[in-house]
Amino acid sequence: MKYCSSMFAPLQHVIVKHPNEAFQSQAHLGGAWKTFNYLEEPSFEEAVEEFTNFIEILEQHVEQIDYLPASEKVGLDSLYAHDPVKFTPEGAIILKSGKSLRQPEAEVYKEFLQEKGIPIVGELTGEAVADGGDIVWLDDRTLAVGRGYRTNDEAIRQLKELTANMVDEFIVVQLPHDLGEAECLHLMSFISMVDKDLAVVHSRLMPVFFRQLLLERGIQLIEVPKEEYDVLGCNVLALAPRICVIPNGNDFTKRQLEEAGATVHEYKGEEISVKGTGGPTCLTCPVVRG
């Protein structure tokens, strides 16, 4: 089986977590949302409805959807199933989040993968911390890793070692301070690959060398304006080349994608995405892409 080493090939198998297991109840949300630095308290009922609609889109394109179980070891952010693990062509790398509240998610994820018989090729150790949102496959043999508050130098060293036989080009992208250490800025905050030659970006946050590198590789850049970046317009999940999911309300970005030949599915994500600042790529952990 070929595990995921692409951000845009047809999505065949994903791992997600339902709000029933992550958010649990309105009372649980009320006691935890400030601790996890959410923008405001989500509505549990609306979150479940939004997630159901999101899954309905996935089911039209994805053959296998697995659900992470409830666990007392983890918190609200476990809804965003992308960050505790990153898949390579040979299997999963277990990560350790740069957000300390999220670090227990790795243990739960590891147990889940073992139960499913999904191979684990390695895990971060010692002082290394990294989030899946900082690790982007530009193609099957090119890996970009963001160095910021959630991913440190030791993690980058270990990731480079773990992927040495799978990667021809390993690119380190220095991330900006932006809104500060307490905020969530990942590499995937300002780039989403939609095809081998098409990416959705917010260039204002991109290092010049990285933007130039993308253009030199022949990648067309869909520029997300600031007002749509703020509501996760740059957080786009590719279901297949030029078939993608985006939070609704990002009309300018959607129009640009369609003009580039993409099919765009929209979902309402105010409770499961915007308030917790984790869009469709954050909600899914791609396991297998064809």
Side-chain angles (χ1 to χ4, degrees):
M1 180 179 293
K2 180 182 179 182
Y3 291 92
C4 193
S5 60
S6 167
M7 307 298 289
F8 49 80
L11 193 51
Q12 298 179 358
H13 180 189
V14 301
I15 297 172
V16 299
K17 188 165 187 179
H18 199 285
N20 285 334
E21 278 65 59
F23 288 175
Q24 300 183 32
S25 67
Q26 194 64 57
H28 185 71
L29 281 169
W33 70 272
K34 290 182 181 178
T35 300
F36 281 85
N37 203 33
Y38 282 33
L39 297 179
E40 59 183 279
E41 180 178 345
S43 162
F44 178 73
E45 183 177 341
E46 291 182 27
V48 170
E49 182 178 348
E50 290 177 3
F51 192 81
T52 299
N53 294 337
F54 176 67
I55 292 297
E56 287 173 352
I57 296 172
L58 289 187
E59 288 175 337
Q60 297 173 31
H61 297 271
V62 182
E63 180 180 337
Q64 181 177 350
I65 301 175
D66 284 334
Y67 290 81
L68 289 164
S71 173
E72 295 182 358
K73 299 177 182 179
V74 301
L76 304 186
D77 281 349
S78 62
L79 181 72
Y80 306 117
H82 190 94
D83 285 320
V85 58
K86 197 69 177 185
F87 277 88
T88 74
E90 297 179 8
I93 297 175
I94 306 298
L95 306 175
K96 184 169 71 172
S97 179
K99 184 177 182 178
S100 58
L101 284 171
R102 298 199 66 182
Q103 290 180 359
E105 293 177 35
E107 178 187 347
V108 175
Y109 227 120
K110 182 178 179 180
E111 293 171 356
F112 178 81
L113 296 178
Q114 290 171 333
E115 290 172 1
K116 292 290 183 180
I118 297 174
I120 296 170
V121 300
E123 56 186 301
L124 298 185
T125 60
E127 298 300 314
V129 293
D131 282 359
D134 281 329
I135 306 169
V136 175
W137 291 96
L138 297 182
D139 59 40
D140 287 348
R141 301 285 302 184
T142 306
L143 189 61
V145 180
R147 169 59 170 99
Y149 288 120
R150 299 294 182 90
T151 297
N152 65 11
D153 292 330
E154 177 58 18
I156 290 171
R157 185 193 68 78
Q158 292 184 26
L159 287 167
K160 191 171 185 178
E161 186 176 279
L162 288 166
T163 60
N165 66 321
M166 314 172 207
V167 171
D168 295 328
E169 188 174 5
F170 190 103
I171 303 164
V172 178
V173 183
Q174 297 291 335
L175 302 184
H177 172 75
D178 194 34
L179 296 178
E181 189 170 354
E183 299 296 324
C184 179
L185 179 76
H186 288 136
L187 179 59
M188 290 175 65
S189 296
F190 56 77
I191 178 170
S192 294
M193 297 298 298
V194 181
D195 202 345
K196 65 181 184 300
D197 56 358
L198 184 67
V200 176
V201 302
H202 187 58
S203 287
R204 291 178 60 175
L205 292 175
M206 298 178 76
V208 170
F209 95 90
F210 187 58
R211 190 175 188 278
Q212 290 176 333
L213 180 148
L214 297 174
L215 293 171
E216 288 167 2
R217 294 171 73 97
I219 298 174
Q220 178 185 352
L221 305 183
I222 301 293
E223 296 283 357
V224 177
K226 178 64 166 61
E227 60 272 20
E228 294 191 1
Y229 172 81
D230 289 339
V231 287
L232 303 183
C234 205
N235 196 314
V236 180
L237 173 66
L239 301 168
R242 296 182 192 247
I243 301 175
C244 58
V245 185
I246 187 172
N248 65 4
N250 293 291
D251 296 337
F252 183 75
T253 303
K254 178 186 177 183
R255 185 165 61 252
Q256 289 186 91
L257 280 163
E258 290 174 336
E259 289 173 355
T263 299
V264 181
H265 299 278
E266 294 180 281
Y267 76 103
K268 183 182 178 183
E270 294 176 6
E271 310 302 317
I272 60 174
S273 291
V274 176
K275 290 181 180 178
T277 65
T281 57
C282 305
L283 292 166
T284 57
C285 181
V287 179
V288 179
R289 286 187 181 268

